[in-house]
Amino acid sequence: MSKKASSEPQQPTSQTLTHADLEWKENGQPVSTTFDDVYFSTVSGLKETHHVFIDSNALPERFEALKQNDCFTIGETGFGTGLNFLCAWALFEQIAPATARLHFVSTEKYPLSQKDLQQALSMWPELSEYSKPLVECYMPAMEGQQHFSFAMGRIKLTLCLGDVLKTLPDLEGKVDAWFLDGFSPAKNPDMWQPELFTAMAAKSHLETTYATFTSARGVRDGLSEAGFSVEKTIGFGHKREMVKGRLIKEPEVRVNKPLWFQDNLQPEVSDSNRSAVIVGGGLAGCSTAMALAERGWKVTLLEQHNGLAREASGNPQGILYTKLSANRTPLSRFITEGYLYTIHLLKSLVSQQPELWQQSGVVQLAINEKVRKRHLELTQHFPNDLLSFLTASELSDVAGLPVEQDGLYFPEAGWVHPALFCQTLAHHENINIVTNTQLQSLEKAEKGWTLNLNGGNRIQSQHVIIACAKASTLLPQMNFIPLKNIRGQITEIEATKESSHLKTTVCGEGYAAPAFHCKHTIGATFDFNNESTEVTDEGHQKNLMMQKECAPALYHALGGEQATILDGRASFRCTTPDYLPAVGTIVDQEQFLEDFAMLRKNVKHHFTQTPKYLEGLYINAGHGSRGLITAPLSGELLAAQLSGECSPITSDLLNHLSPTRFLVRGMSRNQI
Ligand SMILES: Cc1cc2nc3c(=O)[nH]c(=O)nc-3n(C[C@H](O)[C@H](O)[C@H](O)COP(=O)(O)OP(=O)(O)OC[C@H]3O[C@@H](n4cnc5c(N)ncnc54)[C@H](O)[C@@H]3O)c2cc1C
Ligand SMILES: C[S@@+](CC[C@H](N)C(=O)[O-])C[C@H]1O[C@@H](n2cnc3c(N)ncnc32)[C@H](O)[C@@H]1O
């Protein structure tokens, strides 16, 4: 857990969205009271979806024609009940080749509550196999991107929550077919603006098609001006006409981010070079391995120890701990999105490994006035199914043991067994785990990289991902990334009869997790300038003292001064100065310092060239005290990037994770 709060100055804004306000027709159909419009045709929602969106985008033919490992991306305006998504998924499973994948990116300003979603989708029992996992997803109504994976990773869903005019321009990647839905232009004029069509064009390529239920004049004109062809065709049900078309004129590329973050490195991945070497078998390496393996990549995962998760990722219990900020800082946004993704992932993996995690809920105690104020402020900015502020007495009921302070309760969170998480992530037929293998240096090869390993062994790979935490910076190619180690020690305490009542993880200065195999993990120390992995009594005492101070009753339940210390573990959190991990491509450092020298004089200088990248080289490191939350989503975004797919996070967040940011900052502050 990080000691310092992020300091980016931003105005607090509520991140909570309003759920859709619905009325129900007699036939079970939802109607929006806000827009006074139906979610789908009164004639037949299913048939409408097929006629308007699926057939008019020629999806049956296009799905069938997909090649091995191809990913087809659908973009949609207005997720609503998810009916269009489910129909596209069902069709994809029926006719696309087994190794092809579907990424459905949708936008929504007024998400349905889980109860309403379930009720609306109960209209389609023929889709229940697909709607059940969708309804089971936890989707708090809040701004930002939420990412989900179904059917063993074959189907991905990214929900961009918020107004489409704001969310669509932030999408990173291109769409193959648009479902231009949304209530009718007459009832929802704010959405059908020229900006919508411009944003769609910017996220399209010359084979991108679209289809929409409306043939309103303003929509046709807007689409045409944005560069799409406009073809009127027979509408569905009571609608005489609808419109479909394709992008026929690519828009001028508008650079909306600094050139040093322009990633000109979308690799051309054919099946023959869909293989990668990942170095580092912790949470970062294993998450990346799984995300690539799901996309058909053959992954070699190298680890220097004789098993996975032997360093920071090896604790017996880790907590899904979020330190959120009322401001929409990049850090807070990434943590929230990572938190939601990890929970989704854990839920989908737990059937493979029942001891993977416990959704015990997490309590964050308001340990002083400042924290209490921050907690109360957070409740104004986040939906209360994500977090709520409870009194000490309410928290005691939740925790199963008395706690003395009020605080936040995160009902969806819990504790995870990080080592089992790593093993489960890396358990895939496309992943070859090679242990006792240390990367010693990396040389540019004619095609890709030569990895020099211990014992004089060498291997080559076109794509190399370094996930070695702080040791990543031993490689000269990455030594500009300011990764720092902070030692942490955890203590394992024997459960007592009383402490076994603890039902949730309780966090104050430190944390205590519910008993697992009759042991509680309590932790964790923060030891600066200490590079030793030796477990110390002093560390154990510090951990116990944190419990004594913040949660005295819990401390006593654990045995107080007579607590039985069974074991302990010390390892290192690898942090960055801004607490965001370093994830992405690596620039040629020397060349960058030369090409962007003007940054030292004028950070706003108009540069015309993009950086030279070390092609095929990537990093995923610097996850600090919350790798459980940030590493899986980082793995997913790297895999999407390597596969040339739409990113699960927005374009501006990608910049905030880019390792290049440290060069830019250092140069603009004249520190390098
Ligand atoms: C005491 C403590 C408590 C924590 N508690 C929590 C918590 O409650 N919740 C949470 O979310 N996070 C927690 N964290 C943070 C979390 O554990 C880390 O963020 C996460 O494990 C980082 O994963 P990683 O894969 O980046 O690093 P690591 O797990 O350290 O993995 C890096 C791997 O790279 C390998 N490697 C390094 N160099 C080479 C090389 N040259 N060749 C081959 N392999 C190499 C290493 O052996 C290692 O296995 C805690 C950390 C500590 C230290
Ligand atoms: C007709 S419904 C979509 C039906 C949906 N595609 C389905 O399969 O159920 C239109 C949706 O657009 C959403 N919407 C309306 N205006 C929006 C905007 N400006 N930004 C994002 N979503 C919007 C509405 O909340 C609603 O869910």
Side-chain angles (χ1 to χ4, degrees):
M1 289 166 224
S2 124
K3 285 268 170 188
K4 275 194 201 164
S6 165
S7 60
E8 292 98 332
Q10 275 183 18
Q11 284 307 306
T13 52
S14 175
Q15 295 160 49
T16 306
L17 294 171
T18 312
H19 275 301
D21 195 4
L22 303 182
E23 275 173 6
W24 300 89
K25 290 189 174 225
E26 265 175 25
N27 69 350
Q29 212 186 357
V31 179
S32 160
T33 48
T34 314
F35 291 94
D36 182 29
D37 204 353
V38 288
Y39 277 74
F40 33 76
S41 163
T42 43
V43 179
S44 163
L46 265 187
K47 286 187 182 151
E48 179 187 42
T49 295
H50 278 274
H51 176 82
V52 175
F53 298 111
I54 291 190
D55 295 342
S56 304
N57 273 301
L59 294 191
E61 301 87 304
R62 291 166 83 186
F63 284 177
E64 207 170 358
L66 288 172
K67 295 192 293 299
Q68 187 165 325
N69 291 319
D70 275 355
C71 176
F72 192 92
T73 304
I74 295 175
E76 180 187 51
T77 54
F79 185 68
T81 66
L83 177 62
N84 289 341
F85 164 59
L86 299 177
C87 290
W89 173 1
L91 179 77
F92 196 83
E93 290 226 327
Q94 277 161 32
I95 57 177
T99 60
R101 287 164 303 105
L102 176 68
H103 188 181
F104 197 95
V105 181
S106 191
T107 59
E108 182 52 65
K109 191 175 176 183
Y110 302 97
L112 265 65
S113 67
Q114 190 177 38
K115 189 169 148 276
D116 286 343
L117 190 69
Q118 182 163 27
Q119 185 171 340
L121 291 176
S122 66
M123 282 188 80
W124 321 111
E126 57 273 61
L127 289 174
S128 63
E129 156 188 6
Y130 308 103
S131 52
K132 191 168 174 283
L134 177 68
V135 171
E136 280 167 4
C137 289
Y138 169 56
M139 299 176 188
M142 55 188 294
E143 283 180 20
Q145 285 192 196
Q146 294 181 20
H147 188 64
F148 305 93
S149 186
F150 303 100
M152 315 281 281
R154 190 170 178 222
I155 310 290
K156 304 270 178 190
L157 168 67
T158 304
L159 285 181
C160 310
L161 297 184
D163 193 307
V164 64
L165 299 184
K166 272 196 350 211
T167 57
L168 202 49
D170 285 342
L171 181 71
E172 177 82 11
K174 301 270 182 189
V175 161
D176 299 306
W178 290 100
F179 290 4
L180 188 47
D181 208 348
F183 294 119
S184 79
K187 300 201 168 175
N188 187 16
D190 290 349
M191 189 190 96
W192 300 88
Q193 295 295 317
E195 295 88 320
L196 172 64
F197 310 117
T198 317
M200 281 171 59
K203 310 295 165 192
S204 300
H205 52 75
L206 284 176
E207 280 164 34
T208 300
T209 59
Y210 76 87
T212 179
F213 63 93
T214 175
S215 62
R217 179 67 191 264
V219 173
R220 284 183 283 132
D221 289 351
L223 283 162
S224 172
E225 270 163 40
F228 291 95
S229 67
V230 177
E231 188 188 327
K232 276 195 196 172
T233 176
I234 301 169
F236 181 79
H238 308 303
K239 295 208 165 61
R240 212 160 40 90
E241 289 176 325
M242 58 163 276
V243 165
K244 64 178 185 173
R246 61 175 58 243
L247 188 75
I248 47 175
K249 188 171 151 256
E250 270 190 303
E252 266 176 44
V253 183
R254 282 216 211 117
V255 180
N256 59 359
K257 55 182 173 181
L259 273 179
W260 48 81
F261 292 132
Q262 286 295 308
D263 193 352
N264 56 356
L265 258 202
Q266 291 298 349
E268 271 301 311
V269 269
S270 63
D271 272 341
S272 59
N273 64 7
R274 220 169 240 265
S275 70
V277 173
I278 298 177
V279 191
L283 280 167
C286 295
S287 301
T288 314
M290 178 191 165
L292 282 171
E294 277 185 349
R295 288 168 169 82
W297 288 69
K298 299 279 179 221
V299 177
T300 305
L301 179 59
L302 306 183
E303 167 54 49
Q304 62 186 358
H305 296 297
N306 63 358
L308 299 175
R310 298 294 155 97
E311 299 206 348
S313 308
N315 287 340
Q317 290 178 298
I319 317 305
L320 296 181
Y321 178 90
T322 52
K323 188 167 179 188
L324 300 177
S325 144
N327 302 335
R328 272 179 64 74
T329 60
L331 181 60
S332 189
R333 283 163 55 207
F334 189 59
I335 290 175
T336 314
E337 290 174 18
Y339 169 77
L340 296 175
Y341 180 64
T342 296
I343 290 174
H344 170 72
L345 188 61
L346 288 165
K347 283 183 176 175
S348 72
L349 292 175
V350 75
S351 60
Q352 283 177 48
Q353 177 43 269
E355 295 199 326
L356 183 61
W357 81 304
Q358 265 183 26
Q359 197 169 22
S360 60
V362 167
V363 165
Q364 292 186 13
L365 299 172
I367 52 173
N368 57 42
E369 248 334 284
K370 196 171 153 214
V371 175
R372 183 189 175 81
K373 211 171 140 224
R374 193 171 61 79
H375 282 180
L376 285 169
E377 197 185 3
L378 288 177
T379 62
Q380 307 298 308
H381 295 277
F382 289 93
N384 61 10
D385 54 354
L386 184 87
L387 57 86
S388 53
F389 191 81
L390 302 186
T391 62
S393 141
E394 289 166 326
L395 287 182
S396 302
D397 287 345
V398 168
L401 277 176
V403 295
E404 294 75 7
Q405 293 162 85
D406 305 341
L408 289 179
Y409 179 54
F410 292 77
E412 293 284 324
W415 66 263
V416 182
H417 191 308
L420 282 184
F421 196 14
C422 287
Q423 284 157 23
T424 313
L425 289 164
H427 184 73
H428 193 288
E429 59 183 5
N430 285 345
I431 303 176
N432 177 25
I433 303 168
V434 185
T435 54
N436 296 313
T437 302
Q438 188 183 53
L439 173 70
Q440 297 186 331
S441 67
L442 201 54
E443 283 165 43
K444 189 87 195 85
E446 196 185 326
K447 243 188 165 195
W449 296 89
T450 302
L451 294 93
N452 298 314
L453 309 174
N454 53 334
N457 296 325
R458 311 175 97 199
I459 52 170
Q460 289 222 350
S461 176
Q462 204 167 333
H463 306 280
V464 178
I465 297 111
I466 303 295
C468 298
K470 169 85 166 77
S472 309
T473 54
L474 294 176
L475 298 170
Q477 292 89 345
M478 305 194 171
N479 65 5
F480 65 89
I481 304 172
L483 298 176
K484 194 174 92 178
N485 268 348
I486 302 176
R487 181 185 182 276
Q489 181 176 322
I490 54 105
T491 303
E492 286 184 88
I493 305 275
E494 187 174 35
T496 65
K497 198 166 166 228
E498 218 186 327
S499 73
S500 302
H501 291 121
L502 182 65
K503 288 186 289 190
T504 71
T505 302
V506 177
C507 308
E509 269 300 332
Y511 59 83
F516 173 54
H517 292 312
C518 305
K519 288 185 228 171
H520 297 270
T521 300
I522 67 167
T525 64
F526 270 77
D527 311 311
F528 298 87
N529 306 316
N530 182 341
E531 290 286 324
S532 166
T533 52
E534 204 179 308
V535 175
T536 64
D537 280 345
E538 189 198 344
H540 290 322
Q541 287 314 313
K542 273 194 204 166
N543 285 333
L544 281 165
M545 282 311 105
M546 286 195 279
Q547 292 305 319
K548 189 177 179 184
E549 270 168 39
C550 297
L554 178 52
Y555 169 74
H556 287 294
L558 290 167
E561 280 169 21
Q562 271 74 52
T564 309
I565 298 172
L566 296 173
D567 208 345
R569 214 177 159 272
S571 52
F572 301 97
R573 308 168 181 90
C574 165
T575 64
T576 65
D578 56 17
Y579 302 104
L580 279 163
V583 188
T585 43
I586 302 292
V587 290
D588 180 327
Q589 194 183 156
E590 294 305 312
Q591 191 72 45
F592 191 92
L593 294 176
E594 209 177 301
D595 291 347
F596 293 89
M598 276 301 285
L599 276 172
R600 297 198 176 91
K601 296 200 172 127
N602 176 12
V603 76
K604 294 198 173 134
H605 180 79
H606 180 70
F607 293 100
T608 50
Q609 84 271 44
T610 50
K612 180 171 175 246
Y613 285 92
L614 298 179
E615 212 164 315
L617 185 60
Y618 304 82
I619 188 170
N620 184 0
H623 293 280
S625 340
R626 43 191 159 228
L628 287 168
I629 283 174
T630 54
L633 187 57
S634 300
E636 185 69 3
L637 74 89
L638 257 190
Q641 190 175 8
L642 264 85
S643 312
E645 296 168 14
C646 267
S647 178
I649 66 167
T650 57
S651 145
D652 76 308
L653 263 189
L654 283 172
N655 298 346
H656 285 284
L657 302 187
S658 162
T660 315
R661 71 189 190 268
F662 298 112
L663 282 177
V664 175
R665 278 178 209 160
M667 289 169 79
S668 55
R669 291 171 192 163
N670 273 300
Q671 290 162 343
I672 42 176

